[in-house]
Amino acid sequence: GAGSGGEAGQEAGAAGAGGTAGSDASAGGSDAGLQDVSQEPDAVDPPADAPPGCQPVNAAAPADPWKTRLPSKGFGGITPPSSGAHSDVFLSSPAPSQDLLRIGARLDWGGSIVFFGLSANPTSNVIDANDTGRELQIALYDPTRIMQNCAWNASCQTTPSTCASSITYLGWNPVQGGDECGHGSTAEWQQVGDSLRIITHPLQWNPDWDKQDCTQSPCGASGVPVAVTYVTDLTFVSTHVVEVAMELQSQEGFSHPVTGQEFPTLYVEHGQSGPDLSALFDSAGTQVALTTPANDGFFVGNFDSPGPWVTWQKPAKDYGVGLAMDQGIRKWQGWRGDGNAAPYFHNVRARIEFGLPSNKVVRGVSYLALGSFATVKGELEGALSKRPPFGVLDSPAAGGAVSVTKGSAVPISGWVLDTGKVEKVALRVDGQLVSELPVNGARPDVCEVYPAYAGCPNVGYAGALQTAGWDDCPHLVRV
């Protein structure tokens, strides 16, 4: 995490004089091409003509960088969905505060988050669970297909839509919760370790999104599915904080260019069935005004937060919910309705931009925290500071062995990400620091999978390991 001094590493074995060497990288296998990182590490034995006293080297198996996250607080239990108006599944906070808090997902609304609050008090819920368009959820956009009547041929950037500027006429827009007709996206749930996993098959918000005119058809019996899958893992990383790890999987035959996305957007309770969280604060405790008129009668405001988190609270700052971005994003956008020209509600999202390439994945992490401003601040900043860096040793391949000629230079390269910009990585041989490599190489392939992380796209490192003076034993190289 930024400022944490934490460390994660990747290793490789190497040996001089034509011997072999192991490499180890506990921070992950390359997601630039989503390589398989399930292989076993190689054991490197001393060569037959090695001098006495050489020991074998075992390089640790490379870890999947997507799994290099905060450790869970534990498993508090899952309450499976029961029959009723909706199909909601809940993950409870673990011991020692067993089931003090719960987070809940509505499966018939695409697994969007509909509850975060005290398990014993339904009116403590901080999430606006009003309809398929609110909650805490993911929604994606495409600037070339942003509105109806130009989305069908991806011409919206060159030939703007003639339809009204309204969410009614949105173009390509897979929404986790469902569509404007009230059809819910479908979702399934699983327990994965200590996490509640939600797998969502989203619907287009506007069922007429690809019409060549501005026709609005009557709502049908079902929505329009999209060949995209959202996978969300919910994990308690402290009693008050839930990690929300999101993976977008494209099965489409066309790509979507970079634009602003909702990844995720947090809609907060507004006094309908819980507290009225009417005050938006940045991480310094300064209240944010949302005063710019926007579409459909709403008001919007773009603002910066000193830290990568914000919180909606009751005006006294004594209860609310915070949203933090693992990427270190400090640019935000809030929306509100005044109850007159537009429905009374509040939401906030990070101003994150990325595209979704055809048949690829995009990944990101955010955090929810419950409590007063002081509690949210302490919990979110504590979680971000403990978040380990993650990355890959590409060359030599992590977890493997490589033969080197004594005195030669071994190329070293890979990438690393964190909640703050990583300036350098340490290169060690058999535990001893031999050099530090700057992190400044362009790796757009990495930032396509992990967009908006601090330092993107210059998150690669590269250098050379000098082997002059090595003996003929195997050696462990670690970044």
Side-chain angles (χ1 to χ4, degrees):
S4 70
E7 179 178 296
Q10 300 229 338
E11 300 177 352
T20 55
S23 65
D24 176 15
S26 60
S30 171
D31 256 299
L34 298 178
Q35 75 177 33
D36 180 9
V37 294
S38 60
Q39 72 269 24
E40 292 297 316
D42 291 334
V44 180
D45 294 317
D49 57 351
C54 288
Q55 299 297 318
V57 166
N58 282 281
D64 181 347
W66 183 227
K67 297 178 181 178
T68 308
R69 299 202 296 269
L70 284 170
S72 75
K73 179 74 173 177
F75 181 63
I78 292 175
T79 303
S82 58
S83 58
H86 294 287
S87 180
D88 297 345
V89 57
F90 295 91
L91 175 70
S92 297
S93 60
S97 302
Q98 190 79 28
D99 202 26
L100 175 65
L101 306 184
R102 286 186 177 185
I103 188 165
R106 182 156 292 170
L107 300 181
D108 50 301
W109 286 0
S112 56
I113 306 304
V114 296
F115 186 91
F116 187 40
L118 299 169
S119 300
N121 182 5
T123 63
S124 67
N125 184 22
V126 294
I127 305 296
D128 179 359
N130 185 75
D131 55 47
T132 55
R134 302 191 195 178
E135 295 73 57
L136 175 89
Q137 63 168 296
I138 301 165
L140 300 181
Y141 302 88
D142 179 333
T144 67
R145 299 175 172 87
I146 193 66
M147 296 294 290
Q148 185 177 326
N149 103 323
C150 59
W152 67 278
N153 64 354
S155 66
C156 294
Q157 286 184 316
T158 55
T159 307
S161 171
T162 58
C163 300
S165 177
S166 168
I167 59 172
T168 298
Y169 295 97
L170 285 174
W172 185 89
N173 180 213
V175 174
Q176 184 173 5
D179 68 13
E180 64 184 0
C181 293
H183 301 122
S185 302
T186 60
E188 308 92 46
W189 70 275
Q190 304 170 358
Q191 180 187 342
V192 179
D194 293 336
S195 303
L196 171 61
R197 173 168 292 177
I198 305 296
I199 303 169
T200 304
H201 309 285
L203 298 176
Q204 295 283 10
W205 175 255
N206 172 16
D208 295 308
W209 75 278
D210 57 352
K211 289 278 198 311
Q212 296 186 30
D213 55 24
C214 297
T215 300
Q216 285 288 289
S217 307
C219 290
S222 60
V224 176
V226 190
V228 175
T229 303
Y230 301 158
V231 180
T232 307
D233 286 345
L234 305 173
T235 311
F236 275 93
V237 294
S238 75
T239 298
H240 291 264
V241 177
V242 173
E243 177 192 81
V244 183
M246 302 161 289
E247 180 173 276
L248 315 176
Q249 303 172 351
S250 168
Q251 297 91 39
E252 292 185 310
F254 53 92
S255 296
H256 302 279
V258 173
T259 193
Q261 310 288 9
E262 299 187 50
F263 195 54
T265 292
L266 169 63
Y267 289 78
V268 298
E269 181 52 57
H270 48 87
Q272 182 175 1
S273 56
D276 186 1
L277 305 181
S278 59
L280 175 61
F281 296 95
D282 67 18
S283 64
T286 302
Q287 187 167 352
V288 178
L290 308 175
T291 58
T292 302
N295 60 282
D296 299 313
F298 294 103
F299 295 89
V300 66
N302 289 339
F303 64 98
D304 292 350
S305 179
W309 64 273
V310 298
T311 178
W312 283 99
Q313 294 277 320
K314 295 168 68 176
K317 294 186 179 181
D318 56 353
Y319 189 67
V321 58
L323 174 65
M325 300 301 289
D326 190 68
Q327 300 89 340
I329 298 170
R330 289 167 167 78
K331 294 184 179 296
W332 297 81
Q333 183 177 92
W335 288 71
R336 69 174 179 87
D338 61 6
N340 298 312
Y344 179 62
F345 73 53
H346 326 290
N347 73 41
V348 69
R349 71 192 70 161
R351 284 149 61 192
I352 183 171
E353 295 188 352
F354 59 86
L356 183 60
S358 172
N359 291 299
K360 296 289 185 67
V361 303
V362 171
R363 293 166 167 173
V365 176
S366 59
Y367 306 91
L368 287 179
L370 187 76
S372 67
F373 178 88
T375 297
V376 167
K377 176 180 175 65
E379 291 285 338
L380 289 180
E381 291 181 355
L384 291 168
S385 70
K386 296 174 184 175
R387 163 61 152 127
F390 63 103
V392 165
L393 175 60
D394 286 322
S395 178
V402 59
S403 296
V404 302
T405 301
K406 187 164 62 175
S408 65
V410 180
I412 302 288
S413 65
W415 59 267
V416 62
L417 297 172
D418 200 354
T419 56
K421 174 70 172 73
V422 180
E423 299 295 342
K424 60 188 177 181
V425 295
L427 179 59
R428 293 186 172 94
V429 177
D430 299 333
Q432 300 298 311
L433 178 67
V434 296
S435 67
E436 291 179 329
L437 307 178
V439 179
N440 55 16
R443 290 297 302 266
D445 55 339
V446 173
C447 295
E448 186 178 78
V449 179
Y450 300 96
Y453 271 88
C456 272
N458 299 317
V459 297
Y461 61 85
L465 172 63
Q466 303 300 327
T467 63
W470 280 23
D471 59 25
D472 294 332
C473 294
H475 298 276
L476 183 65
V477 176
R478 189 168 195 263
V479 174

